[in-house]
Amino acid sequence: MSLPMHPPLPLYLGLSQWSHNHWLQSLYGKGCKNSDRLSRYAEVFHTVEGNTTFYAIPSMTTVKNWNDATPESFRFTFKIPQTITHQQQLRHSNQSLVDFLNTMSPVEEKTGCWMIQLPARFAPNDLPLLDAFLDQFPKDVTTGVEVRHPAFFAKGDEEKALNRMLLEKGSNRIIMDSRPVFSATPNTDAIIDAQKKKPRVPVHAIATAYNPVIRFIGHPDDACNDPFFVNWLQRLPLWIAEGKTPYLFIHTPDNNAAPESARRLYGVLREHIAKAQPSLIPLPELAMPTNTEMVTPQISLL
């Protein structure tokens, strides 16, 4: 299950999904068929959060279609099904994981990280379950773990134990940055829903392996994201300089303008690296989608 010999990007940029009706007005272009959305998305972005596998395991035919729709350089980050992480809570899940990975085998070479999202009730005394679960993956497979229990953010022995285990297993700690969305006034249904569902946890920017994963849950007013993105302008180049390859995912409460927000923030990061750390490999410019009227947002310097 090793990745093909394709030069990795310094950083992989993506969104929380590849199919969104509102993007017919921007990313896809009018008249884009549902079946063409992934390929159109992959013309611009390097990766995507594969949330669909969290809710249901697709057919192998569907997985093959996903593979055919994306270039060799594209990287999926599929979530492990909730039946394993939330219902079984990693218990007695060996066969379930084997079956899932077998179904996903057509895209195994394009999966940059398998995301293990754990519920808030997954507590420090459950860490032995996670330890054993990570051992079930092939050694050359990249995993990322997202925890939500408060004890894992308290900088105490429980968090140290988690980080130590992830370091030993070579698994990435997924970083949720929900500060922007919680700074928004809850005056729309989308913001209220996002603030209800997204965890409000501290941002601990630690890299426990070679592919740090950042989920940046943005403010609906993109300009309001700038103060929160300053930290990432410093941290991401440091990781890249250390030889790590981060994955950066941009969300917004309704995701309507997520492509534009991601493009602008990526442009800010790209410009910052070019000026502040010219010795680093430059971030490639994002391609413009074909047959669309997507507007390149104005880059603002922080």
Side-chain angles (χ1 to χ4, degrees):
M1 295 180 68
S2 59
L3 294 175
M5 295 302 292
H6 186 282
L9 297 173
L11 175 143
Y12 287 82
L13 176 72
L15 308 178
S16 64
Q17 59 194 122
W18 68 70
S19 182
H20 191 59
N21 289 336
H22 190 83
W23 298 347
L24 288 168
Q25 305 173 36
S26 57
L27 182 63
Y28 310 132
K30 297 176 181 178
C32 179
K33 300 177 182 178
N34 287 353
S35 58
D36 293 333
R37 290 183 177 187
L38 176 56
S39 61
R40 193 67 60 85
Y41 171 97
E43 291 177 4
V44 179
F45 296 103
H46 319 125
T47 184
V48 69
E49 287 188 14
N51 290 315
T52 182
T53 54
F54 181 75
Y55 298 103
I57 299 177
S59 68
M60 187 171 285
T61 298
T62 296
V63 179
K64 289 178 180 177
N65 290 338
W66 293 342
N67 179 63
D68 294 341
T70 52
E72 291 302 314
S73 59
F74 191 80
R75 294 290 176 264
F76 292 97
T77 57
F78 286 112
K79 288 185 180 179
I80 301 301
Q82 63 178 341
T83 52
I84 295 175
T85 57
H86 286 56
Q87 296 175 21
Q88 294 174 298
Q89 289 203 70
L90 309 184
R91 294 178 174 85
H92 313 296
S93 56
N94 187 27
Q95 190 59 49
S96 298
L97 180 63
V98 169
D99 292 344
F100 172 66
L101 294 179
N102 284 341
T103 298
M104 302 299 292
S105 61
V107 292
E108 64 184 6
E109 299 291 351
K110 290 183 181 177
T111 302
C113 182
W114 298 97
M115 300 174 74
I116 305 165
Q117 185 182 86
L118 297 171
R121 64 181 181 275
F122 191 92
N125 59 3
D126 295 316
L127 281 180
L129 294 171
L130 178 59
D131 188 304
F133 185 71
L134 290 172
D135 284 341
Q136 296 176 29
F137 286 88
K139 295 299 181 183
D140 57 349
V141 164
T142 300
T143 58
V145 177
E146 181 181 306
V147 291
R148 300 190 173 189
H149 192 284
F152 292 129
F153 298 89
K155 297 185 177 181
D157 291 341
E158 294 90 348
E159 182 173 10
K160 292 176 182 178
L162 168 68
N163 292 338
R164 184 168 55 249
M165 184 187 69
L166 295 178
L167 283 164
E168 292 173 353
K169 300 294 183 181
S171 184
N172 301 280
R173 179 166 179 176
I174 296 173
I175 303 160
M176 172 76 77
D177 189 349
S178 59
R179 295 173 302 161
V181 74
F182 280 104
S183 73
T185 302
N187 55 9
T188 69
D189 290 342
I191 297 174
I192 293 170
D193 186 62
Q195 292 181 351
K196 180 180 178 181
K197 293 180 179 178
K198 301 299 182 184
R200 191 171 190 171
V201 294
V203 181
H204 291 182
I206 179 173
T208 56
Y210 292 100
N211 297 113
V213 179
I214 300 94
R215 304 180 67 211
F216 187 86
I217 317 300
H219 192 288
D221 180 352
D222 188 37
C224 294
N225 289 315
D226 289 358
F228 301 102
F229 202 68
V230 169
N231 292 341
W232 298 115
L233 289 181
Q234 308 306 318
R235 180 66 61 177
L236 289 168
L238 285 176
W239 283 336
I240 294 171
E242 293 171 355
K244 297 177 173 62
T245 304
Y247 282 70
L248 174 62
F249 296 100
I250 305 298
H251 301 227
T252 64
D254 57 15
N255 284 318
N256 285 351
E260 291 81 5
S261 179
R263 178 180 286 277
R264 189 186 69 83
L265 292 172
Y266 179 83
V268 171
L269 176 63
R270 183 171 178 267
E271 190 167 309
H272 175 81
I273 289 177
K275 290 183 177 181
Q277 294 180 272
S279 61
L280 292 182
I281 298 174
L283 297 183
E285 187 173 359
L286 288 186
M288 288 297 293
T290 58
N291 302 318
T292 76
E293 300 176 357
M294 186 174 179
V295 176
T296 300
Q298 184 68 36
I299 292 177
S300 63
L301 296 179
L302 305 182

